[in-house]
Amino acid sequence: MTRSEIAELRYAVGQLRQCVSALRSHYGDDGTVRRLENDLERLVIDADEFEQAPPSENPRAPQETIYVPDAKHDEAAWMGAQDEGLGFHSRPRTK
C-alpha cells in the first residue's frame, strides 16, 4: 500500500467517523450506533497497525491446482469403510 493509499484510507475513515457521529447525534446511545462506533475504532486500530508494520510486499505463491479425474474409481477400495455422517448407513450398498 502506497503512502497515497494510506492517506486515502485515513480520509475514508475520517468521513466514516463523521457519519457515525451524525448517527450518534440523531439516534443517541442506541446499541447499533455503539456497535458502529466499536467497528470504527477497530478500523482505526487496524489502519494504525497496518501503517506501522505493513505485510510483506511479496504475495504468497499461487496454490497449485489439483485436478481430480472424473473417471470411474475402484469402489472395492472403500468396501467395509465407515460412512458415518453420510446417511443411509443401515442400507446395503448398491452399485
Side-chain angles (χ1 to χ4, degrees):
M1 192 174 247
T2 64
R3 283 280 168 217
S4 63
E5 289 171 327
I6 290 174
E8 208 173 310
L9 176 63
R10 294 271 179 215
Y11 178 77
V13 168
Q15 293 290 101
L16 187 57
R17 187 180 302 280
Q18 288 178 357
C19 292
V20 171
S21 179
L23 289 171
R24 159 75 68 187
S25 62
H26 187 267
Y27 293 103
D29 193 33
D30 183 66
T32 306
V33 175
R34 284 195 313 271
R35 282 193 303 275
L36 285 170
E37 288 173 331
N38 222 8
D39 293 343
L40 177 61
E41 272 314 300
R42 184 68 236 173
L43 189 59
V44 169
I45 291 167
D46 289 344
D48 288 343
E49 287 178 6
F50 187 87
E51 189 173 8
Q52 298 302 316
S56 69
E57 294 284 329
N58 301 330
R60 290 188 293 145
Q63 296 288 325
E64 179 183 343
T65 303
I66 299 174
Y67 293 97
V68 178
D70 289 333
K72 193 91 167 135
H73 60 275
D74 181 16
E75 290 196 21
W78 299 103
M79 293 309 272
Q82 297 292 323
D83 59 354
E84 293 179 16
L86 299 178
F88 307 110
H89 63 280
S90 59
R91 289 192 205 169
R93 286 185 77 152
T94 58
K95 290 188 178 189

